[in-house]
Amino acid sequence: MMGERTVVQEELFYGFNLERHVPGDHLLRAIDRFVDLSDLRRHLAPYYSPIGRPSIDPELLIRMLIVGYCFGIRSERRLCEEVHLNLAYRWFCRLGLEGDVPDHSTFSKTRHGRFRESDLLRELFETVLRRCMAEGLVGGEGFAVNASLIVADAHRQRGVARTEDLPQAGRAVEEYLAVLDDAAFGAATPVPPKHLSPADPAARWTASWGGPAVYAYCTNYLIDVDHAVIADVEATTAVRQAEVGAARTMIDRTRERFDLWPERLIGDTGYGSAEMLNWLVHVRGIEPHIPVFDKSRRTDGTFSREDFTYDHDSDAYTCPGGKLLQNNRRSFTKPRSGVTKDDTRIYRASKSDCDACPLKPSCCPKEPARKIPRSIHEGARDMARDIAKTEAYATSRRQRKKVEMLFAHFKRILKLGRLRLRGPCGARDEFLLAATAQNLRKLAKICIAQSPMPAT
């Protein structure tokens, strides 16, 4: 028999408990245990006037942003609608059933103003990281570093060739001009970009991701490999030099603010330059579990540098024919360092030795004598090569995949394959909030699994 719903007269009063209608296993209920905003007002106090009409509660705005980035709600207009309708979102934002949701324009005004001036989002990220450390999720023994391209909010077919052709006003242009001397953006490389976007001039024109050229930024992660907790995040322009500089910045910042000093750093070949390896080994005392960036291997059938034996005591190479290659074959009145502008020393064989050598066709058939360049940081490179032969290095190669998985989560689950905010500050804001959301989800996943929440 077909059922029919009976019309019931509405009651005058309802007893509705919002706490009871949020499931005990909801992600926000787990995340709420680890969101500590107790210092928020103290941190923002210098940026608010003591008189005038009260503003929107900044804690509400932060909680709404956490909801948006945890659940991939990119539009602030849609975020306000979702918080208005979703009971779990209202519960997390402490709005109750009748609390008013702020207008979406409030986010833009506050984010471009007080939040950036006070660096609040960096403070929020570090507060969550301290909670990860308190829960024992950060070991500090091994770190992994990597970067990922994120497409900027700029049309790839609309660009100008010169800075002079940019519009003379606008926040994006002002931010671009402000970071021209910043090592993470304008000063990362002396090579000028081929195209500039009028909408976001600081975004770099690049095709290094293997697809068509786009305007993009890079998000750089430094993670602890124990539980893939993000220890630091940095926004840079999309060039390799900026990524290497960001790695140094993040390592130093985690040491200064959290006293975290890894024994080993895991990275790809992009971080295997001689200067970077020397900085890790001799300046910071960190083992580089990084492939050496080396172009010395020849492909024309002649001897490569690895076929020559270097002797530290005599500071000379021995060729396969048993002859010496030396850095200085004669003395000078004024001693010379023998170091080129590329930070290398050139070791040369004697022309008479090469002319009489039967191996010359396999060594230097087109040159009068063989030359071998050696970096002044070759000691650090040799150490990285020795580490690459160990079982610990093989383990590190597997652990490096954890940072790649975070980038996949960043783009597919949090839906951050393309930025919504423009300029270096916008990229920094989005990357900090995304990293904060990922650490909060990690806390909820691991700690709640270890100690299930009681049923409500």
Side-chain angles (χ1 to χ4, degrees):
M1 180 177 65
M2 181 182 296
E4 182 179 355
R5 182 173 58 89
T6 58
V7 178
V8 181
Q9 182 179 358
E10 293 187 0
E11 299 182 17
L12 294 178
F13 301 98
Y14 286 91
F16 187 90
N17 188 342
L18 185 58
E19 180 77 23
R20 290 172 48 196
H21 285 76
V22 179
D25 59 351
H26 196 282
L27 177 61
L28 282 180
R29 189 178 286 278
I31 286 177
D32 187 60
R33 293 177 51 184
F34 306 108
V35 175
D36 181 10
L37 302 178
S38 57
D39 290 337
L40 179 70
R41 296 183 180 280
R42 178 190 58 79
H43 187 81
L44 286 173
Y47 301 91
Y48 282 87
S49 172
I51 59 175
R53 189 177 67 177
S55 68
I56 301 295
D57 185 359
E59 180 176 345
L60 170 60
L61 298 179
I62 290 296
R63 285 185 174 272
M64 289 181 66
L65 286 173
I66 290 174
V67 169
Y69 278 82
C70 281
F71 292 93
I73 305 174
R74 304 298 316 286
S75 168
E76 290 164 356
R77 188 187 299 270
R78 179 170 168 247
L79 175 62
C80 292
E81 295 173 355
E82 293 290 337
V83 172
H84 177 71
L85 296 173
N86 192 299
L87 293 180
Y89 295 173
R90 279 185 165 272
W91 172 85
F92 181 79
C93 295
R94 309 294 193 262
L95 282 173
L97 283 177
E98 298 182 353
D100 293 331
V101 177
D103 187 78
H104 65 89
S105 62
T106 307
F107 287 99
S108 298
K109 295 178 181 178
T110 309
R111 180 181 273 165
H112 292 311
R114 298 182 180 95
F115 284 5
R116 287 184 182 173
E117 293 171 5
S118 63
D119 204 12
L120 178 65
L121 300 182
R122 167 67 63 177
E123 180 69 19
L124 176 65
F125 169 79
E126 294 183 352
T127 299
V128 174
L129 177 58
R130 290 188 184 94
R131 184 58 186 270
C132 292
M133 296 170 62
E135 296 290 337
L137 302 187
V138 179
E141 185 270 333
F143 280 0
V145 64
N146 208 346
S148 183
L149 277 178
I150 308 298
V151 180
D153 185 25
H155 198 290
R156 60 181 300 270
Q157 295 181 342
R158 297 174 184 171
V160 297
R162 302 178 305 167
T163 304
E164 293 78 8
D165 297 331
L166 292 172
Q168 300 301 312
R171 181 185 292 114
V173 176
E174 292 175 1
E175 288 189 19
Y176 166 67
L177 297 176
V179 299
L180 286 179
D181 297 327
D182 192 327
F185 292 99
T189 173
V191 180
K194 294 182 179 179
H195 303 281
L196 293 170
S197 169
D200 191 352
R204 192 79 178 189
W205 177 257
T206 179
S208 60
W209 65 335
V214 293
Y215 294 105
Y217 288 95
C218 264
T219 178
N220 298 263
Y221 275 6
L222 181 71
I223 73 164
D224 183 272
V225 296
D226 282 357
H227 293 93
V229 171
I230 303 169
D232 206 350
V233 56
E234 184 77 2
T236 63
T237 188
V239 296
R240 176 58 67 178
Q241 298 92 319
E243 296 171 18
V244 175
R248 296 189 184 190
T249 299
M250 292 187 293
I251 290 172
D252 287 341
R253 187 160 52 204
T254 52
R255 172 62 183 273
E256 176 186 349
R257 300 189 181 184
F258 304 102
D259 197 26
L260 292 175
W261 200 248
E263 296 179 8
R264 56 193 171 96
L265 180 70
I266 307 167
D268 58 25
T269 313
Y271 301 93
S273 64
E275 295 80 5
M276 181 63 178
L277 294 175
N278 180 73
W279 183 82
L280 289 172
V281 174
H282 295 121
V283 180
R284 293 294 179 258
I286 301 173
E287 290 185 2
H289 288 229
I290 301 172
V292 177
F293 184 77
D294 191 356
K295 291 186 176 181
S296 65
R297 182 180 293 274
R298 294 189 172 186
T299 58
D300 59 358
T302 59
F303 295 137
S304 299
R305 185 172 61 189
E306 62 186 15
D307 297 315
F308 294 73
T309 305
Y310 180 74
D311 182 69
H312 288 273
D313 295 333
S314 61
D315 188 25
Y317 278 95
T318 302
C319 73
K323 303 301 182 180
L324 290 180
L325 288 79
Q326 298 175 326
N327 182 230
N328 291 317
R329 287 190 166 273
R330 62 189 180 93
S331 59
F332 298 90
T333 304
K334 293 183 179 180
R336 300 182 181 182
S337 65
V339 180
T340 68
K341 63 180 181 180
D342 297 327
D343 289 336
T344 60
R345 290 188 174 94
I346 306 299
Y347 293 78
R348 296 176 173 84
S350 169
K351 184 177 182 301
S352 59
D353 289 340
C354 288
D355 287 340
C357 181
L359 298 176
K360 190 176 190 302
S362 301
C363 184
C364 52
K366 298 180 181 180
E367 299 176 0
R370 182 61 188 262
K371 297 185 294 185
I372 296 290
R374 179 181 174 86
S375 171
I376 61 174
H377 308 306
E378 197 66 27
R381 286 157 59 92
D382 288 341
M383 180 178 178
R385 293 188 184 101
D386 292 339
I387 291 174
K389 302 173 184 177
T390 64
E391 184 63 30
Y393 181 83
T395 302
S396 296
R397 291 294 90 194
R398 293 190 294 270
Q399 292 175 330
R400 194 180 72 86
K401 297 177 182 178
K402 294 183 179 181
V403 67
E404 301 288 355
M405 294 172 65
L406 282 172
F407 288 141
H409 182 271
F410 181 97
K411 296 177 180 180
R412 299 187 63 182
I413 306 302
L414 303 188
K415 300 179 182 178
L416 273 157
R418 183 185 180 96
L419 294 175
R420 284 191 64 253
L421 303 182
R422 293 173 177 172
C425 291
R428 188 179 297 114
D429 289 353
E430 293 224 59
F431 296 159
L432 281 169
L433 280 168
T436 301
Q438 287 180 297
N439 279 348
L440 283 170
R441 290 172 67 108
K442 182 74 65 175
L443 276 167
K445 177 181 177 181
I446 297 177
C447 296
I448 299 304
Q450 295 174 351
S451 56
M453 297 183 61
T456 56

